[in-house]
Amino acid sequence: MAQSAQQGPLFFREWRHEHPVIERAEGMYLYGADGRRYLDAAGGVHVVGIGHGVQEVVDAMERQARKVCFAYGGAFTNQAQWDLADKILALAPPGMRKVYFVSGGSEANEIALTAIHHYFVEKGKPTKTRVIARWQSYHGSTVGAMSMTGNVLRRRDHSAYALPFPHINPCNCYRCPYGSTYPECGLACAWELDRTIRREGPDTIAAFIAEPLVGTTAGAFTPPPGYYEVIRQVCDQHDVLFVADEVITGFGRTGQKFGSDHWQAVPDIITCAKGISSGYAPIGAVVIQDKIWQAFAQGPRDTFFIGYTFSGHPVSCATALAVQNYLEKHDLIKRSAAMGDYLKRRLLDLAERTPSIGEVRGKGLMLGVEFVRDKASKKPFPAEAHFAGRVVRAALAKGLHLIGSSGTADGEVGDHLLITPPFIITEAQCDEMVAILEETLCEVMSNG
Ligand SMILES: Cc1ncc(COP(=O)(O)O)c(C=O)c1O
């Protein structure tokens, strides 16, 4: 049973494709109304860490809903909000001081943008307004977040109203933008930030934003050692804030608490969403360093005017708190690292016997699989082939939910999958996933 996307009242994002009706979900699987079962290799869309249908999280939601579902955050607070903020600060890198709740990743990046500007106004540097981001990144669909987003395909239709934010090359060792290799490259792509700030004018640049590992739009581009240490050094030198967009990488996805923990480079701001609540409720957060809070606290103003109706929603906060407690109780971040190692080995084995897989990369359970038409030359499939889309749909028909995207090679062509299953995945389920993927790739390749 599928919801025909062209009929009915729903405005689907991809209206030419059918959307199976999901009736329930448990553990690693989604169950369709027609009785079909789908192995969730994408954690929804890089969201679900603890698995589906955890009763104690549902109980926590119910308990909170029975107490109070909504009390306006501009006038009231709630205990769940305080407890969750404490929990996030305990997990976050050193020096993080305050948490501002929102409802998702785009909102988190919008708030970060306005908080950055407020910070520099308080510091007497109001001309610092622009943010440098990277090509092939994704930071959300609202105007500010889309202006930072460097994904060409997503920007194309929306650039008319995008803010004039500069972009630098991503760190992509498989297709180095400088045609070099690590470590001989000297991390040229990180030093590009320095050149760009100087060229644009340090007095106009407020921040640099990056996903620790680039997610949906690049299939887990993973910087080598030293990359973010250079970024941190350059930001410090020019009084530019470093924002880590941890919407996917936060809360254990990469096998560490935050993606930033893989490097010795503590961000000034972390934006997060998805994994906070494992998808049980919509929530995101902006986490700021003490130095930013001090500028707010000591400045002449006492109001941050930008906010959202559902910021700090009691049920969302209680849900996310229960999810984080569950993650801790079952040591699931460690499990993300261990199962990520296992799954990566299995995907690397698959790559060896599959001509269309050019690279497998990533950390923990955030793994990218990049497709190529020719392994030796790394030539991608033409855009018209819609290779990733065909793989995703063929896999779904076989009971495997994947997320794939295009533009991996240069923003226009190239295809990848971003594999992000819940951390509770077993070795047998990893094997099941790889077997269905192999069968799918054989089918798609043989169909031309
Ligand atoms: C890195 C990153 N930032 C921001 C967002 C936007 O988050 P949301 O869809 O919750 O607005 C996403 C969504 O995929 C993301 O992957």
Side-chain angles (χ1 to χ4, degrees), residues 104-107 109 138-141 211 216 245 247-248 273-274:
S106 303
E107 283 189 6
N109 285 327
Y138 182 62
H139 298 295
S141 292
E211 300 159 77
T216 46
D245 178 342
V247 167
I248 293 181
K274 300 187 187 267

Side-chain angles (χ1 to χ4, degrees), residues 116 120 123-132 166 193-208 234-241:
I116 288 161
F120 280 115
K123 280 191 72 181
K125 296 183 177 182
T127 59
K128 275 181 167 290
T129 54
R130 294 191 298 155
V131 176
I132 297 178
L193 178 63
D194 183 54
R195 287 196 303 284
T196 307
I197 294 172
R198 288 176 197 277
R199 189 185 62 227
E200 299 287 334
D203 55 333
T204 72
I205 303 298
F208 170 70
V234 170
C235 287
D236 287 343
Q237 196 178 338
H238 296 292
D239 197 12
V240 163
L241 296 175

Side-chain angles (χ1 to χ4, degrees), residues 295-308:
F296 274 62
Q298 288 162 19
R301 297 185 290 172
D302 61 1
T303 306
F304 181 59
F305 280 107
I306 310 299
Y308 303 103

Side-chain angles (χ1 to χ4, degrees), residues 133-139 146 148-152 155 167:
R134 298 186 297 183
W135 291 117
Q136 292 178 259
S137 59
Y138 182 62
H139 298 295
M146 182 55 73
M148 297 188 271
T149 289
N151 178 259
V152 175
R155 286 176 67 86
H167 291 77

